[in-house]
Amino acid sequence: MWIMLAAALAALQSARRLALLLAALAALAGFYYQVLTWPVLPLLAGTAALVALRRYDPTPSWQQILSEALLVLIALGLLLHLFPGFNNPVQVDGIKVGARSLPFSFFFNFDKALIPFVLLACLPTLFRARACPPRYPWVAALALIAAVPLLLCCAVLLGGLAFEPHFPSWLPAFMLANLFFVSLAEEALFRGYLQQRLREALGGLPALAISALLFGLVHFTGGILLVIFATLAGLLYGLAWHWSGRLWLSTALHFALNLTHLLFFTYPALHH
């Protein structure tokens, strides 16, 4: 089921009919294994009706504005796990990755995985938008890559992390979940949709700053240090998206930072 759902997300940009078929099969498997239960049905039906409405009358109108607003609210609800009927299975429950790490749990999130499908109905350019390339692309690319360990090392200096290498047995499950059900979902919302819409209205730099700040604020439950760290990370992901226009590029950078964090530093944070 989860491999099918990941494959659906991987195909969503280039083969949408295949992606929808795989997603439908994954949903059927989800109901069979009770990862999805009946309260999900009204949500799926309502979302499908909004998407059909947009396809039936694609001309700009108040119906289009209202349907897009409702779809974005659905995406936010999926991000925050607000909708009933999703029994996201826990993969790791309250374990300490290392001696100095805080206890950590992670799930396979079916609800968050639906976010790119919802937002693609709002914005056809979700995966590939207009690029604003920098003057020296290779320098910019190297700077973004170098910023990943630099940001993590700054967190060490601030006392939020410490160096602590790990290679847990559940690493493949973490990589699958973090790439498709976390990084892609969050990048679809904050970069592919939000930053793109803000850039259309306000310009590149305000869009970058606002989307990064909102991304940081979503992490408020982890404390002020995590909000700052996530905001700075959001600036990196936002630059990757702004310069390339490609959602998968910002997703890859997001995933690379999360994976580097797990492999070489206390995860999710330092236990004081």
Side-chain angles (χ1 to χ4, degrees):
M1 173 177 62
W2 300 106
I3 297 295
M4 263 195 300
L5 186 56
L9 288 163
L12 188 55
Q13 178 183 357
S14 57
R16 294 180 188 178
R17 290 183 180 178
L18 174 62
L20 291 172
L21 174 62
L22 290 171
L25 292 173
L28 289 174
F31 280 107
Y32 179 80
Y33 290 110
Q34 296 186 328
V35 172
L36 305 179
T37 54
W38 73 264
V40 171
L41 291 174
L43 173 67
L44 296 179
T47 303
L50 289 170
V51 173
L53 176 65
R54 293 181 64 81
R55 289 180 62 87
Y56 176 74
D57 182 15
T59 57
S61 63
W62 69 267
Q63 292 100 327
Q64 287 286 299
I65 295 171
L66 178 60
S67 63
E68 181 166 334
L70 290 173
L71 287 170
V72 172
L73 287 175
I74 288 170
L76 284 170
L78 293 169
L79 177 77
L80 299 174
H81 310 294
L82 298 181
F83 295 112
F86 292 95
N87 299 321
N88 295 317
V90 63
Q91 301 301 303
V92 167
D93 189 14
I95 71 163
K96 294 184 69 173
V97 187
R100 304 178 68 190
S101 295
L102 286 174
F104 167 65
S105 303
F106 82 91
F107 299 76
F108 278 174
N109 294 310
F110 205 112
D111 44 3
K112 282 183 73 169
L114 298 178
I115 291 174
F117 291 95
V118 173
L119 294 179
L120 187 61
C122 297
L123 201 55
T125 55
L126 183 76
F127 280 92
R128 189 160 188 170
R130 175 178 57 86
C132 299
R135 181 173 296 181
Y136 303 106
W138 283 106
V139 174
L142 291 174
L144 286 176
I145 293 169
V148 168
L150 181 62
L151 183 57
L152 291 165
C153 289
C154 286
V156 172
L157 294 175
L158 291 173
L161 298 178
F163 294 106
E164 187 181 62
H166 317 111
F167 196 82
S169 59
W170 39 263
L171 182 61
F174 174 88
M175 293 174 68
L176 177 70
N178 200 270
L179 176 58
F180 290 103
F181 313 144
V182 176
S183 297
L184 177 59
E186 293 177 358
E187 289 306 299
L189 179 57
F190 287 97
R191 255 60 64 179
Y193 180 81
L194 181 61
Q195 189 172 340
Q196 186 172 174
R197 283 299 195 210
L198 288 172
R199 188 173 72 175
E200 293 170 358
L202 304 175
L205 290 180
L208 171 65
I210 294 170
S211 59
L213 179 59
L214 291 174
F215 180 71
L217 290 174
V218 165
H219 295 80
F220 74 95
T221 54
I224 187 62
L225 192 59
L226 181 58
V227 169
I228 294 170
F229 179 79
T231 300
L232 293 174
L235 289 172
L236 296 182
Y237 311 150
L239 281 172
W241 179 85
H242 179 71
W243 286 336
S244 69
R246 298 186 179 185
L247 182 64
W248 276 111
L249 193 60
S250 65
T251 298
L253 190 65
H254 190 153
F255 173 68
L257 190 147
N258 289 346
L259 185 60
T260 304
H261 181 181
L262 172 66
L263 291 177
F264 299 107
F265 299 85
T266 49
Y267 195 94
L270 175 64
H271 177 69
H272 294 283

